[in-house]
Amino acid sequence: MDDTDFDEFVRARWPKLVRSAILLGCSPTEAEDVVQAALTRCLVNWTKVVGAHDIDAYVHRILINSFTSSRRRLWVREQPTTDLEAPASEDMTERVERSDALLRSLRKLGSDQRAVVVLRYYVQLNEQQTAAVLGVPVGTVKSRLSRALSALACDPALAEMKGTQ
Amino acid sequence: MNDSELSDLIIQGAGTIPVSPAPVDQIHLAAKRQHRRRSQTAAALIVALLLLGVTSLSAWRDWVTDDAPIAASATPVGPPVAFSIRTQCGIEYLEYDGRTWRTQPLGRGSVPEGLPPVVDGELQLMSDSTLVFTSKLIANPIVFRPGDVDPNYVCF
């Protein structure tokens, strides 16, 4: 794999990684910074990433670490940009409502439970992969998922989302 | 709500979150900066270690040679030479290299306890101002410095 492969990798994974970071608790801007920092680490250690048994799990582990570091430091290393993103012009009302409901529900979970839910149900890692990414036993993943599911099951915002499907 | 329902809800809800295009070029730039920082850090570390090594070596040499000029000595600084000290008036002065050397007095004017009247050993000029006598009969090396004989000093 060379730079071209990395570029393709980034373009393919970027949306999912940014959304994962947002689901984990970042603001949209912060999420892009965290993912950019994670992907920069990936590029610096690209040989390791490519050699990893499960690239997606490996990259998500780096993402989780970047996210945790950013929370610990209470700041995120921003990379300066010369291009400003153009503001969205289409009517985003319904989309914003759905994503807002989801984010409100996830915010009610503790950070550990939220990470498990995001990795398991959004990133679609299995329990073993999730455990490896978070560095916890599979049993811990299961118990966190169970508690998170119980909390989400009675969350009105999520029920509302379910109703509008 | 079961696993698959929750998964669908999350995937659909997350899918509505707008995301900007991937800043591939910026990631490359940031990675280059990190590479440069790592290289600079490594270079700085190497330089620091070299400096530390040179400084330590210099300090060690200073400690061994006492940092004194050696040009004035007719006897080269270097290997030890066989030397015998007479101890009948204690050990305080000795003549070497045409000069008088002095140390902290041992023996209070008479033969130090446990030593014979003549102690055989080695004398090593460490620098122009440091002369060291060692002997199997004496536990610690005796350091002599250039000095003059006290006018009140008497030894028969």
PDB file of all heavy atoms in Angstrom, chain B residues 12-42:
ATOM      1  N   GLN B  12     -29.065   4.737  10.778  1.00  0.00           N
ATOM      2  CA  GLN B  12     -29.886   5.710  10.051  1.00  0.00           C
ATOM      3  C   GLN B  12     -29.728   7.107  10.643  1.00  0.00           C
ATOM      4  O   GLN B  12     -29.583   8.095   9.929  1.00  0.00           O
ATOM      5  CB  GLN B  12     -31.360   5.284  10.093  1.00  0.00           C
ATOM      6  CG  GLN B  12     -31.661   4.117   9.171  1.00  0.00           C
ATOM      7  CD  GLN B  12     -32.978   3.438   9.504  1.00  0.00           C
ATOM      8  OE1 GLN B  12     -33.737   3.917  10.361  1.00  0.00           O
ATOM      9  NE2 GLN B  12     -33.246   2.328   8.851  1.00  0.00           N
ATOM     10  N   GLY B  13     -29.752   7.174  11.967  1.00  0.00           N
ATOM     11  CA  GLY B  13     -29.613   8.488  12.619  1.00  0.00           C
ATOM     12  C   GLY B  13     -28.257   9.107  12.331  1.00  0.00           C
ATOM     13  O   GLY B  13     -28.156  10.293  12.007  1.00  0.00           O
ATOM     14  N   ALA B  14     -27.216   8.282  12.414  1.00  0.00           N
ATOM     15  CA  ALA B  14     -25.867   8.807  12.158  1.00  0.00           C
ATOM     16  C   ALA B  14     -25.717   9.207  10.704  1.00  0.00           C
ATOM     17  O   ALA B  14     -25.005  10.168  10.385  1.00  0.00           O
ATOM     18  CB  ALA B  14     -24.830   7.754  12.526  1.00  0.00           C
ATOM     19  N   GLY B  15     -26.398   8.489   9.829  1.00  0.00           N
ATOM     20  CA  GLY B  15     -26.309   8.798   8.394  1.00  0.00           C
ATOM     21  C   GLY B  15     -26.828  10.177   8.047  1.00  0.00           C
ATOM     22  O   GLY B  15     -26.498  10.724   6.994  1.00  0.00           O
ATOM     23  N   THR B  16     -27.646  10.738   8.930  1.00  0.00           N
ATOM     24  CA  THR B  16     -28.190  12.076   8.657  1.00  0.00           C
ATOM     25  C   THR B  16     -27.233  13.181   9.116  1.00  0.00           C
ATOM     26  O   THR B  16     -27.490  14.352   8.886  1.00  0.00           O
ATOM     27  CB  THR B  16     -29.541  12.271   9.372  1.00  0.00           C
ATOM     28  OG1 THR B  16     -29.317  12.147  10.780  1.00  0.00           O
ATOM     29  CG2 THR B  16     -30.575  11.250   8.920  1.00  0.00           C
ATOM     30  N   ILE B  17     -26.171  12.791   9.799  1.00  0.00           N
ATOM     31  CA  ILE B  17     -25.210  13.811  10.252  1.00  0.00           C
ATOM     32  C   ILE B  17     -24.356  14.252   9.060  1.00  0.00           C
ATOM     33  O   ILE B  17     -23.703  13.412   8.426  1.00  0.00           O
ATOM     34  CB  ILE B  17     -24.279  13.251  11.359  1.00  0.00           C
ATOM     35  CG1 ILE B  17     -25.104  12.833  12.582  1.00  0.00           C
ATOM     36  CG2 ILE B  17     -23.217  14.264  11.751  1.00  0.00           C
ATOM     37  CD1 ILE B  17     -24.308  12.072  13.647  1.00  0.00           C
ATOM     38  N   PRO B  18     -24.394  15.549   8.738  1.00  0.00           N
ATOM     39  CA  PRO B  18     -23.607  15.999   7.585  1.00  0.00           C
ATOM     40  C   PRO B  18     -22.104  15.933   7.881  1.00  0.00           C
ATOM     41  O   PRO B  18     -21.681  16.232   8.989  1.00  0.00           O
ATOM     42  CB  PRO B  18     -24.061  17.455   7.388  1.00  0.00           C
ATOM     43  CG  PRO B  18     -24.613  17.869   8.702  1.00  0.00           C
ATOM     44  CD  PRO B  18     -25.120  16.645   9.388  1.00  0.00           C
ATOM     45  N   VAL B  19     -21.359  15.520   6.895  1.00  0.00           N
ATOM     46  CA  VAL B  19     -19.894  15.409   7.062  1.00  0.00           C
ATOM     47  C   VAL B  19     -19.208  16.098   5.883  1.00  0.00           C
ATOM     48  O   VAL B  19     -19.618  15.914   4.732  1.00  0.00           O
ATOM     49  CB  VAL B  19     -19.466  13.921   7.116  1.00  0.00           C
ATOM     50  CG1 VAL B  19     -17.952  13.808   7.198  1.00  0.00           C
ATOM     51  CG2 VAL B  19     -20.096  13.227   8.305  1.00  0.00           C
ATOM     52  N   SER B  20     -18.176  16.875   6.173  1.00  0.00           N
ATOM     53  CA  SER B  20     -17.411  17.541   5.108  1.00  0.00           C
ATOM     54  C   SER B  20     -16.546  16.517   4.377  1.00  0.00           C
ATOM     55  O   SER B  20     -16.284  15.440   4.912  1.00  0.00           O
ATOM     56  CB  SER B  20     -16.479  18.589   5.718  1.00  0.00           C
ATOM     57  OG  SER B  20     -17.187  19.370   6.627  1.00  0.00           O
ATOM     58  N   PRO B  21     -16.082  16.882   3.180  1.00  0.00           N
ATOM     59  CA  PRO B  21     -15.193  15.953   2.468  1.00  0.00           C
ATOM     60  C   PRO B  21     -13.906  15.703   3.248  1.00  0.00           C
ATOM     61  O   PRO B  21     -13.480  16.546   4.038  1.00  0.00           O
ATOM     62  CB  PRO B  21     -14.876  16.689   1.164  1.00  0.00           C
ATOM     63  CG  PRO B  21     -15.895  17.760   1.054  1.00  0.00           C
ATOM     64  CD  PRO B  21     -16.344  18.095   2.425  1.00  0.00           C
ATOM     65  N   ALA B  22     -13.321  14.568   3.000  1.00  0.00           N
ATOM     66  CA  ALA B  22     -12.085  14.196   3.723  1.00  0.00           C
ATOM     67  C   ALA B  22     -10.934  15.145   3.360  1.00  0.00           C
ATOM     68  O   ALA B  22     -10.658  15.337   2.185  1.00  0.00           O
ATOM     69  CB  ALA B  22     -11.708  12.768   3.369  1.00  0.00           C
ATOM     70  N   PRO B  23     -10.281  15.733   4.361  1.00  0.00           N
ATOM     71  CA  PRO B  23      -9.159  16.661   4.084  1.00  0.00           C
ATOM     72  C   PRO B  23      -7.845  15.899   3.880  1.00  0.00           C
ATOM     73  O   PRO B  23      -6.925  15.995   4.694  1.00  0.00           O
ATOM     74  CB  PRO B  23      -9.129  17.520   5.353  1.00  0.00           C
ATOM     75  CG  PRO B  23      -9.602  16.597   6.421  1.00  0.00           C
ATOM     76  CD  PRO B  23     -10.540  15.603   5.795  1.00  0.00           C
ATOM     77  N   VAL B  24      -7.797  15.147   2.783  1.00  0.00           N
ATOM     78  CA  VAL B  24      -6.644  14.257   2.561  1.00  0.00           C
ATOM     79  C   VAL B  24      -5.326  15.029   2.555  1.00  0.00           C
ATOM     80  O   VAL B  24      -4.343  14.607   3.193  1.00  0.00           O
ATOM     81  CB  VAL B  24      -6.831  13.488   1.234  1.00  0.00           C
ATOM     82  CG1 VAL B  24      -5.632  12.589   0.958  1.00  0.00           C
ATOM     83  CG2 VAL B  24      -8.101  12.672   1.278  1.00  0.00           C
ATOM     84  N   ASP B  25      -5.313  16.164   1.844  1.00  0.00           N
ATOM     85  CA  ASP B  25      -4.055  16.932   1.739  1.00  0.00           C
ATOM     86  C   ASP B  25      -3.589  17.418   3.112  1.00  0.00           C
ATOM     87  O   ASP B  25      -2.398  17.404   3.419  1.00  0.00           O
ATOM     88  CB  ASP B  25      -4.230  18.125   0.804  1.00  0.00           C
ATOM     89  CG  ASP B  25      -4.472  17.661  -0.625  1.00  0.00           C
ATOM     90  OD1 ASP B  25      -4.114  16.500  -0.927  1.00  0.00           O
ATOM     91  OD2 ASP B  25      -5.031  18.438  -1.424  1.00  0.00           O
ATOM     92  N   GLN B  26      -4.559  17.853   3.911  1.00  0.00           N
ATOM     93  CA  GLN B  26      -4.182  18.352   5.251  1.00  0.00           C
ATOM     94  C   GLN B  26      -3.610  17.234   6.112  1.00  0.00           C
ATOM     95  O   GLN B  26      -2.694  17.453   6.916  1.00  0.00           O
ATOM     96  CB  GLN B  26      -5.402  18.952   5.941  1.00  0.00           C
ATOM     97  CG  GLN B  26      -5.773  20.309   5.378  1.00  0.00           C
ATOM     98  CD  GLN B  26      -7.032  20.855   6.020  1.00  0.00           C
ATOM     99  OE1 GLN B  26      -7.221  20.690   7.213  1.00  0.00           O
ATOM    100  NE2 GLN B  26      -7.875  21.478   5.232  1.00  0.00           N
ATOM    101  N   ILE B  27      -4.151  16.038   5.947  1.00  0.00           N
ATOM    102  CA  ILE B  27      -3.630  14.904   6.728  1.00  0.00           C
ATOM    103  C   ILE B  27      -2.182  14.615   6.318  1.00  0.00           C
ATOM    104  O   ILE B  27      -1.322  14.375   7.158  1.00  0.00           O
ATOM    105  CB  ILE B  27      -4.531  13.662   6.543  1.00  0.00           C
ATOM    106  CG1 ILE B  27      -5.899  13.927   7.203  1.00  0.00           C
ATOM    107  CG2 ILE B  27      -3.887  12.421   7.152  1.00  0.00           C
ATOM    108  CD1 ILE B  27      -6.943  12.886   6.900  1.00  0.00           C
ATOM    109  N   HIS B  28      -1.928  14.674   4.992  1.00  0.00           N
ATOM    110  CA  HIS B  28      -0.550  14.464   4.525  1.00  0.00           C
ATOM    111  C   HIS B  28       0.383  15.531   5.101  1.00  0.00           C
ATOM    112  O   HIS B  28       1.496  15.225   5.547  1.00  0.00           O
ATOM    113  CB  HIS B  28      -0.501  14.502   2.996  1.00  0.00           C
ATOM    114  CG  HIS B  28      -0.890  13.199   2.372  1.00  0.00           C
ATOM    115  ND1 HIS B  28      -0.052  12.113   2.329  1.00  0.00           N
ATOM    116  CD2 HIS B  28      -2.042  12.805   1.776  1.00  0.00           C
ATOM    117  CE1 HIS B  28      -0.674  11.095   1.731  1.00  0.00           C
ATOM    118  NE2 HIS B  28      -1.887  11.504   1.387  1.00  0.00           N
ATOM    119  N   LEU B  29      -0.087  16.785   5.086  1.00  0.00           N
ATOM    120  CA  LEU B  29       0.742  17.877   5.619  1.00  0.00           C
ATOM    121  C   LEU B  29       1.025  17.668   7.106  1.00  0.00           C
ATOM    122  O   LEU B  29       2.156  17.819   7.566  1.00  0.00           O
ATOM    123  CB  LEU B  29       0.018  19.227   5.441  1.00  0.00           C
ATOM    124  CG  LEU B  29       0.167  19.895   4.078  1.00  0.00           C
ATOM    125  CD1 LEU B  29      -0.691  21.150   4.008  1.00  0.00           C
ATOM    126  CD2 LEU B  29       1.635  20.256   3.831  1.00  0.00           C
ATOM    127  N   ALA B  30      -0.033  17.303   7.839  1.00  0.00           N
ATOM    128  CA  ALA B  30       0.123  17.085   9.288  1.00  0.00           C
ATOM    129  C   ALA B  30       1.090  15.933   9.556  1.00  0.00           C
ATOM    130  O   ALA B  30       1.917  16.000  10.474  1.00  0.00           O
ATOM    131  CB  ALA B  30      -1.235  16.802   9.919  1.00  0.00           C
ATOM    132  N   ALA B  31       0.995  14.876   8.729  1.00  0.00           N
ATOM    133  CA  ALA B  31       1.900  13.727   8.907  1.00  0.00           C
ATOM    134  C   ALA B  31       3.339  14.140   8.637  1.00  0.00           C
ATOM    135  O   ALA B  31       4.258  13.723   9.346  1.00  0.00           O
ATOM    136  CB  ALA B  31       1.480  12.595   7.975  1.00  0.00           C
ATOM    137  N   LYS B  32       3.532  14.981   7.596  1.00  0.00           N
ATOM    138  CA  LYS B  32       4.895  15.460   7.304  1.00  0.00           C
ATOM    139  C   LYS B  32       5.435  16.268   8.475  1.00  0.00           C
ATOM    140  O   LYS B  32       6.597  16.143   8.849  1.00  0.00           O
ATOM    141  CB  LYS B  32       4.880  16.341   6.036  1.00  0.00           C
ATOM    142  CG  LYS B  32       4.977  15.534   4.763  1.00  0.00           C
ATOM    143  CD  LYS B  32       5.002  16.425   3.549  1.00  0.00           C
ATOM    144  CE  LYS B  32       4.816  15.580   2.291  1.00  0.00           C
ATOM    145  NZ  LYS B  32       4.426  16.380   1.137  1.00  0.00           N
ATOM    146  N   ARG B  33       4.547  17.104   9.037  1.00  0.00           N
ATOM    147  CA  ARG B  33       4.982  17.911  10.200  1.00  0.00           C
ATOM    148  C   ARG B  33       5.384  17.003  11.361  1.00  0.00           C
ATOM    149  O   ARG B  33       6.377  17.241  12.036  1.00  0.00           O
ATOM    150  CB  ARG B  33       3.858  18.856  10.639  1.00  0.00           C
ATOM    151  CG  ARG B  33       3.850  20.182   9.873  1.00  0.00           C
ATOM    152  CD  ARG B  33       3.057  21.225  10.648  1.00  0.00           C
ATOM    153  NE  ARG B  33       1.642  20.894  10.666  1.00  0.00           N
ATOM    154  CZ  ARG B  33       0.755  21.368   9.806  1.00  0.00           C
ATOM    155  NH1 ARG B  33       1.125  22.191   8.849  1.00  0.00           N
ATOM    156  NH2 ARG B  33      -0.516  21.041   9.883  1.00  0.00           N
ATOM    157  N   GLN B  34       4.586  15.956  11.559  1.00  0.00           N
ATOM    158  CA  GLN B  34       4.914  15.016  12.652  1.00  0.00           C
ATOM    159  C   GLN B  34       6.244  14.328  12.404  1.00  0.00           C
ATOM    160  O   GLN B  34       7.054  14.168  13.309  1.00  0.00           O
ATOM    161  CB  GLN B  34       3.824  13.958  12.783  1.00  0.00           C
ATOM    162  CG  GLN B  34       2.752  14.353  13.765  1.00  0.00           C
ATOM    163  CD  GLN B  34       1.890  13.160  14.166  1.00  0.00           C
ATOM    164  OE1 GLN B  34       2.310  12.011  14.076  1.00  0.00           O
ATOM    165  NE2 GLN B  34       0.682  13.446  14.600  1.00  0.00           N
ATOM    166  N   HIS B  35       6.455  13.912  11.117  1.00  0.00           N
ATOM    167  CA  HIS B  35       7.726  13.286  10.745  1.00  0.00           C
ATOM    168  C   HIS B  35       8.879  14.232  11.052  1.00  0.00           C
ATOM    169  O   HIS B  35       9.889  13.836  11.623  1.00  0.00           O
ATOM    170  CB  HIS B  35       7.730  12.974   9.244  1.00  0.00           C
ATOM    171  CG  HIS B  35       7.346  11.561   8.938  1.00  0.00           C
ATOM    172  ND1 HIS B  35       7.975  10.481   9.500  1.00  0.00           N
ATOM    173  CD2 HIS B  35       6.398  11.046   8.114  1.00  0.00           C
ATOM    174  CE1 HIS B  35       7.434   9.368   9.044  1.00  0.00           C
ATOM    175  NE2 HIS B  35       6.459   9.683   8.212  1.00  0.00           N
ATOM    176  N   ARG B  36       8.685  15.506  10.636  1.00  0.00           N
ATOM    177  CA  ARG B  36       9.750  16.493  10.827  1.00  0.00           C
ATOM    178  C   ARG B  36      10.021  16.688  12.317  1.00  0.00           C
ATOM    179  O   ARG B  36      11.161  16.739  12.757  1.00  0.00           O
ATOM    180  CB  ARG B  36       9.344  17.830  10.178  1.00  0.00           C
ATOM    181  CG  ARG B  36      10.560  18.657   9.738  1.00  0.00           C
ATOM    182  CD  ARG B  36      10.132  19.952   9.067  1.00  0.00           C
ATOM    183  NE  ARG B  36       9.185  19.718   7.997  1.00  0.00           N
ATOM    184  CZ  ARG B  36       8.065  20.429   7.823  1.00  0.00           C
ATOM    185  NH1 ARG B  36       7.758  21.387   8.656  1.00  0.00           N
ATOM    186  NH2 ARG B  36       7.256  20.185   6.823  1.00  0.00           N
ATOM    187  N   ARG B  37       8.918  16.791  13.086  1.00  0.00           N
ATOM    188  CA  ARG B  37       9.085  16.979  14.537  1.00  0.00           C
ATOM    189  C   ARG B  37       9.837  15.802  15.155  1.00  0.00           C
ATOM    190  O   ARG B  37      10.722  15.969  15.973  1.00  0.00           O
ATOM    191  CB  ARG B  37       7.724  17.125  15.210  1.00  0.00           C
ATOM    192  CG  ARG B  37       7.279  18.577  15.383  1.00  0.00           C
ATOM    193  CD  ARG B  37       6.242  18.685  16.491  1.00  0.00           C
ATOM    194  NE  ARG B  37       5.071  17.871  16.220  1.00  0.00           N
ATOM    195  CZ  ARG B  37       4.016  18.306  15.538  1.00  0.00           C
ATOM    196  NH1 ARG B  37       3.996  19.516  15.048  1.00  0.00           N
ATOM    197  NH2 ARG B  37       2.973  17.525  15.347  1.00  0.00           N
ATOM    198  N   ARG B  38       9.457  14.579  14.716  1.00  0.00           N
ATOM    199  CA  ARG B  38      10.131  13.389  15.250  1.00  0.00           C
ATOM    200  C   ARG B  38      11.622  13.416  14.900  1.00  0.00           C
ATOM    201  O   ARG B  38      12.472  13.108  15.736  1.00  0.00           O
ATOM    202  CB  ARG B  38       9.518  12.126  14.647  1.00  0.00           C
ATOM    203  CG  ARG B  38       8.267  11.677  15.348  1.00  0.00           C
ATOM    204  CD  ARG B  38       7.846  10.335  14.811  1.00  0.00           C
ATOM    205  NE  ARG B  38       6.559   9.934  15.335  1.00  0.00           N
ATOM    206  CZ  ARG B  38       5.980   8.769  15.048  1.00  0.00           C
ATOM    207  NH1 ARG B  38       6.560   7.917  14.267  1.00  0.00           N
ATOM    208  NH2 ARG B  38       4.803   8.457  15.550  1.00  0.00           N
ATOM    209  N   SER B  39      11.916  13.779  13.623  1.00  0.00           N
ATOM    210  CA  SER B  39      13.324  13.820  13.202  1.00  0.00           C
ATOM    211  C   SER B  39      14.084  14.849  14.011  1.00  0.00           C
ATOM    212  O   SER B  39      15.208  14.605  14.459  1.00  0.00           O
ATOM    213  CB  SER B  39      13.423  14.168  11.719  1.00  0.00           C
ATOM    214  OG  SER B  39      12.633  13.306  10.975  1.00  0.00           O
ATOM    215  N   GLN B  40      13.449  16.039  14.184  1.00  0.00           N
ATOM    216  CA  GLN B  40      14.124  17.094  14.940  1.00  0.00           C
ATOM    217  C   GLN B  40      14.353  16.667  16.386  1.00  0.00           C
ATOM    218  O   GLN B  40      15.408  16.908  16.964  1.00  0.00           O
ATOM    219  CB  GLN B  40      13.292  18.387  14.899  1.00  0.00           C
ATOM    220  CG  GLN B  40      13.379  19.085  13.556  1.00  0.00           C
ATOM    221  CD  GLN B  40      12.362  20.210  13.414  1.00  0.00           C
ATOM    222  OE1 GLN B  40      11.442  20.329  14.216  1.00  0.00           O
ATOM    223  NE2 GLN B  40      12.521  21.014  12.385  1.00  0.00           N
ATOM    224  N   THR B  41      13.327  16.021  16.957  1.00  0.00           N
ATOM    225  CA  THR B  41      13.461  15.560  18.336  1.00  0.00           C
ATOM    226  C   THR B  41      14.583  14.538  18.451  1.00  0.00           C
ATOM    227  O   THR B  41      15.404  14.590  19.370  1.00  0.00           O
ATOM    228  CB  THR B  41      12.134  14.920  18.813  1.00  0.00           C
ATOM    229  OG1 THR B  41      11.090  15.846  18.558  1.00  0.00           O
ATOM    230  CG2 THR B  41      12.176  14.587  20.283  1.00  0.00           C
ATOM    231  N   ALA B  42      14.617  13.610  17.473  1.00  0.00           N
ATOM    232  CA  ALA B  42      15.660  12.582  17.501  1.00  0.00           C
ATOM    233  C   ALA B  42      17.035  13.231  17.355  1.00  0.00           C
ATOM    234  O   ALA B  42      17.978  12.877  18.083  1.00  0.00           O
ATOM    235  CB  ALA B  42      15.425  11.577  16.375  1.00  0.00           C
TER     236      ALA B  42
END
